[in-house]
Amino acid sequence: MLEVETLDKKAITRLYPERSLEERGHGKLLSFFVPDGALNRHVVLRDKELVIARRHGAIVRSGQNILLDDATLAATCWMQGIFAAQLTIGNTSFHKLFSVSRDPYNLTRASGLRIMADLGAGWQLLAVPSAFEMGLSDCRWIYQCPEQTIIVTAVASGEDAAMQWSLSVEGKPCRFLVFGHVVLGEREYDAGGQIDFDPARKRISFRPDPAWLWGERYPDAVYWLVSSTPDAIEEIGGDELLYADGLARNGAFVALRSRPTQALSFAVVGSMTDAEDAERLAQRYEAGISEEAMLAPASTFWRKAVRGMRIDSASPDLAAQATLLPWLAHDAIVHLSVPHGLEQYTGAAWGTRDACQGPIEFLLAYEHDREARQVLKTVFSEQYLEKGDWPQWFMLEPYANIRAGDCHGDIIVWPLKALCDYIEATGDLAILDEKVSWRDEKTMQKAPEADTIAVHVEKLLDTVRERFIPGTHLIRYGEGDWNDSLQPADPHLRDYFNRHLVRDGVVAGYGIFDPAHDSVELLLHPSDTRTGLSFSLIAMTQAMLGKLFTPAQRRHHMQLIEEHLLFPDGVRLMEKPATYAGGPETLFRRAESSSFFGREIGLMYVHAHLRYCETLALDAAADALWEAIAVVNPIAVTKALPQASLRQRNTYFSSSDAAFPDRYQAADDWARVKAGKIAVDGGWRIYSSGPGLYTRSFVENILGFKRRFGRRRRKPLLPAAHATLDLRTDHAAWRRLMKPKPQM
């Protein structure tokens, strides 16, 4: 590893001239945000005392499109000196150029794009830098060495399917060895492909195996690695450049070795559909493109995504919320357009439930109605022609035959909810007359006929009616529900579950409708003798949000949540974890067998907590809502919760995980979590509907920008301390709502 130094404040000021540095929550200068108009840049400093559960990383993507397409480049950058992992254009699973980084400890060197430097004492790996800076479309690694400062910058173009890396040296020139672990498919070593070297022009082309899935569906797909500083490059080649003897070992690597230099630049460009277009991009980036030219359209895109919203405030609490908004937009758009996350790096598909929640709610909150309409048309075009329902998840063309074979019982209702959300916000009833195709579940091809979305809805409703438990209007549980951990272990029981039953004034999480018994057995209810669990958050909040409760019932269930499910770091799905017996499954599969204590197993699932925030808005509980949303803001959480562990502060975390080493200790010491005596870690990052839900709560409920059938109104729900915030926006309709009304 390369010896680097921690930056001091003087060095930081030199790197960020004329910009104020805003510390957030850590108490010492370990990470900070650099304000940049409506956007922010997050900087993390190297510190030997800094211990975090998850390594810092960022997903950058190219272009201007909010929706999934085959022209958007995406890559994951890690602080530990992985300058691009899982680089793809289009499908984020099948179209990988460089491999995924799965090693959080940085022990291996064979993942993604890596760089070595020779400062005069042989090759050393550029690993954890002195400082790591993340923007919405770029990253920067700063290595302060004893006699030189090396800066590596990676930028995803806001216009092209392109990503460029620039290396600069302050001080004596040094040599670099850049090498990438090539996949050219879905998994390492699983597919072939063609790699061609052009030593004269110092460039490399990559094409997928025409006999494999990617090459078959995209016969013209090609990536190019090119350089605008070819004179600085001594040699390009394969893995022979990685060994002192210069002999190839047939490793899946490409490499370029530079001469001693103070500047080196190279880029990856490509196209999945047009080899000539890829060649034009290659020539453009060989000629040289400045970082400013690449980032200007990207900055415009991200500002439009948040409607140019800017909140100026001296209050740290409000500043933390304002700072997070563009990062939430980033995460929401990654979830929709290049589906994967930092931990959940497989993806490329739309979950039916996911597409109908976070993306729709994010798009409607910022009034990106055209894109929301397109998401709905796409989802309804994937409805099965005969069954009338959807799979749990599906890929889009040309991989639409790849999809889940089953689905949870609640999946079918989410497209209907999303459609209702859209119409109730926009008033666009004309969408019901839009004709979209069906999916033939036998062939997985598009059915030849198309029908209006209104006809699709009728088919959906017929299917729901067919699935009612006899004598009720309650839909069968199927393969599970919204809580992924509570999937039925006994296939016989899956037809008898339900979520909305009330006994003794308390709604049950589930009910078993067994014809062999006269009454319904309630689970996750005070009368439950089978699971030992008494309360289910989702059953309560969804009933409130669906207006199934009377006002008295709602107040009673809010009291139950506060008494049994509200913990310092947020509300939990149940009052305690399901019993873990080391593997045997009796009722719920994952809840009873998963050894990992996080996400739904650890019970504080941020997505569900954000739905609880919506119930607080129903009661206009401004102070409670503000406190509830603050504990899931990664910028504010370490200030709001003394027991919250340090974590990456510019990414949405999908759960708050009590820091138990195993499930046995979690069961023994569970009371300490509610008492705030157990540390809580941030869970998986970025990939979730949560950023969209958070955005909706903040924009619609807290800031108060709401629509009903196209008519706008503003009714903020802010604590008294923040009622006079300085809010600016590029959205003309919102500016009109903020103008003071004339005095009569």
Side-chain angles (χ1 to χ4, degrees), residues 562-634:
E562 292 175 13
E563 182 179 353
H564 300 284
L565 302 178
L566 182 58
F567 285 56
D569 58 333
V571 291
R572 279 179 156 70
L573 297 173
M574 300 173 289
E575 78 274 16
K576 62 182 179 181
T579 301
Y580 176 71
E585 299 169 340
T586 59
L587 194 62
F588 298 123
R589 291 204 298 262
R590 286 178 55 193
E592 295 173 352
S593 63
S594 174
S595 60
F596 172 63
F597 194 74
R599 290 176 63 80
E600 304 100 320
I601 307 300
L603 302 182
M604 196 292 169
Y605 199 48
V606 176
H607 188 140
H609 176 86
L610 291 167
R611 292 297 189 204
Y612 168 70
C613 290
E614 293 177 30
T615 67
L616 293 172
L618 291 177
D619 291 328
D623 292 330
L625 173 57
W626 188 262
E627 292 175 6
I629 209 164
V631 299
V632 293
N633 181 326

Side-chain angles (χ1 to χ4, degrees), residues 325-346:
L325 285 177
W327 295 105
L328 287 172
H330 169 275
D331 293 357
I333 291 174
V334 164
H335 177 234
L336 176 61
S337 64
V338 285
H340 65 302
L342 291 177
E343 283 76 21
Q344 199 169 356
Y345 39 75
T346 57

Side-chain angles (χ1 to χ4, degrees), residues 2 4-5 7 14-16 41-46 55-60 75-85 87 98 101 106 111-115 117 125-135 137-145 148-156 163-170 176 178 264 266 291 342 648:
L2 191 69
V4 298
E5 300 174 358
L7 293 174
R14 179 176 60 84
L15 287 166
Y16 300 96
R41 308 182 69 77
H42 184 211
V43 181
V44 183
L45 302 182
R46 176 189 177 94
R55 53 183 174 158
H56 282 66
I59 296 176
V60 295
T76 303
C77 299
W78 295 104
M79 180 176 176
Q80 64 200 86
I82 299 170
F83 303 98
L87 190 150
F98 297 134
S101 171
N106 216 17
S111 298
L113 182 72
R114 310 300 299 265
I115 301 176
L125 186 69
L126 294 181
V128 178
S130 305
F132 179 50
E133 176 186 332
M134 291 169 279
S137 296
D138 64 312
C139 292
R140 185 158 65 145
W141 295 255
I142 301 169
Y143 297 87
Q144 184 167 291
C145 307
Q148 292 124 314
T149 297
I150 299 172
I151 299 176
V152 182
T153 304
V155 180
M163 187 167 178
Q164 181 170 273
W165 296 262
S166 300
L167 287 74
S168 65
V169 180
E170 296 178 5
F176 294 103
V178 179
L264 175 66
F266 60 94
E291 294 173 11
L342 291 177
Q648 184 169 343

Side-chain angles (χ1 to χ4, degrees), residues 1 80 103-110 114 125:
M1 305 296 183
Q80 64 200 86
D103 172 18
Y105 304 108
N106 216 17
L107 299 177
T108 62
R109 301 183 177 188
R114 310 300 299 265
L125 186 69

